[in-house]
Amino acid sequence: MEQIGFDFGVEAPRKLTKVSPARLATFEDCPRRYRMSYLDRPSPTRTGAWAHSTLGAVVHNALRALFDLPVIKRVPQRAMALVAEHWKDAGFEDTDQAARYRARAKAWVAEYVEDNDVSVDPVGLERWVSAPVTLEPGSGPSLIIEGRADRIDQRGRELVIIDYKTGRRAPDEYEARSSQALALYAVAAARTLRTPCYQVELHHVPTGTIAAAEHTEQSLKRHLQRADETAGDLRLATDTLNAGGDEDVLFPARPGRRCSWCDFRPSCAAGQEAGPAAQPWELLAP
């Protein structure tokens, strides 16, 4: 299968918008949170650390460090030691809870190393990838997609995007296929590394589940079209704000359950009214 046939031309007849999967997801989820995250300066007051985010970061950092080691040292015992080296207690209820989850994280990465082939060097770890994208034939690129992929492997003549997960629920194939982030990383990795990329995988470290999906040119194009539409809305709102537009009209809050654990809850009255604040450790897997 040939890599997706998008025109990566250099002409830019209209203003280019740089977007990352995180920026697009934030704007779609809550425009006000996008504004507070990326536009407001100085940055509004945030909550403190969240334990589930701390846990996820530790596991990501430990696995990244593991693949930086020579193959002979990529063993379960070293993976556990790397969890201890990268561990932080931020967001946990107390030291006892932090110690329990530190032990869990050690067991997770040890089992991951036992059950998966870690002898092959990835072509990218926390690799920055970027690509200008053109969706309309004969026109210049309308956006630049960029971001940092957890891991990029090469299998045969193609690349594979791998994203680590540590949440409560194991993902499935539908989640891997519907992930805009993975699809955009696949397109950007293919451009950056000049190698076809269609396979995307979610590796749920707590359960060992690997949810995989194989994209086609058509499915990648659907993700790109959605990204282009969101980027257009984002660009228009930002330009109008810079021209003196009303920030609350252009970047409205979208109150919901997520307001309970939003980082900007202290600075958002609508979020505070949506429901009670979550405790920093409430989103940890039981």
Side-chain angles (χ1 to χ4, degrees):
M1 182 183 293
E2 300 232 344
Q3 176 57 15
I4 190 164
F6 296 123
D7 176 13
F8 294 104
V10 295
E11 291 186 3
R14 59 175 172 144
K15 184 178 179 181
L16 279 171
T17 302
K18 285 187 178 182
V19 294
S20 67
R23 282 178 175 251
L24 292 172
T26 300
F27 185 78
E28 288 186 332
D29 178 50
C30 179
R32 177 173 292 179
R33 182 156 62 92
Y34 176 90
R35 192 200 80 215
M36 291 181 170
S37 298
Y38 300 108
L39 302 179
D40 287 356
R41 294 294 180 270
S43 181
T45 302
R46 301 183 182 224
T47 63
W50 296 93
H52 68 282
S53 297
T54 298
L55 181 63
V58 168
V59 171
H60 278 69
N61 289 336
L63 289 174
R64 180 190 62 198
L66 183 79
F67 279 101
D68 279 335
L69 297 173
V71 172
I72 196 172
K73 294 185 178 181
R74 296 175 195 169
V75 296
Q77 294 80 4
R78 185 60 182 136
M80 295 172 69
L82 286 169
V83 169
E85 289 177 20
H86 288 278
W87 186 260
K88 298 181 185 300
D89 287 353
F92 288 91
E93 183 176 13
D94 51 35
T95 55
D96 288 342
Q97 185 189 57
R100 291 197 303 273
Y101 278 90
R102 182 169 64 247
R104 286 189 184 188
K106 287 181 177 180
W108 294 345
V109 297
E111 290 175 7
Y112 184 86
V113 173
E114 284 278 9
D115 296 340
N116 294 276
D117 182 6
V118 296
S119 64
V120 179
D121 290 332
V123 297
L125 291 170
E126 297 291 335
R127 175 65 186 263
W128 184 262
V129 291
S130 177
V133 175
T134 296
L135 292 171
E136 296 298 328
S139 64
S142 57
L143 73 159
I144 297 175
I145 52 175
E146 58 186 16
R148 203 176 296 278
D150 284 353
R151 188 172 118 204
I152 306 173
D153 286 359
Q154 182 158 358
R155 298 178 195 162
R157 296 182 178 181
E158 296 191 7
L159 302 175
V160 179
I161 301 296
I162 294 172
D163 192 51
Y164 299 122
K165 294 295 182 184
T166 56
R168 296 184 174 201
R169 181 181 56 81
D172 56 19
E173 180 185 349
Y174 173 80
E175 187 171 341
R177 188 179 305 281
S178 62
S179 170
Q180 185 182 66
L182 292 182
L184 296 186
Y185 285 140
V187 173
R191 165 70 177 190
T192 301
L193 300 174
R194 301 187 181 279
T195 306
C197 185
Y198 294 100
Q199 179 87 0
V200 297
E201 295 179 354
L202 295 172
H203 289 203
H204 191 245
V205 184
T207 62
T209 299
I210 295 179
E214 182 83 12
H215 276 293
T216 64
E217 291 187 8
Q218 290 71 30
S219 64
L220 288 176
K221 187 171 184 179
R222 286 194 294 270
H223 280 288
L224 286 171
Q225 287 172 332
R226 175 185 155 200
D228 191 52
E229 291 171 1
T230 303
D233 293 341
L234 189 161
R235 179 172 57 241
L236 177 61
T238 302
D239 289 346
T240 307
L241 178 68
N242 291 336
D246 188 324
E247 62 182 22
D248 291 329
V249 173
L250 296 168
F251 295 90
R254 289 183 183 158
R257 290 182 60 249
R258 293 184 181 182
C259 294
S260 293
W261 58 86
C262 177
D263 287 343
F264 292 100
R265 180 182 173 86
S267 302
C268 180
Q272 295 169 22
E273 293 171 1
Q279 294 295 334
W281 54 86
E282 280 188 29
L283 294 185
L284 288 167

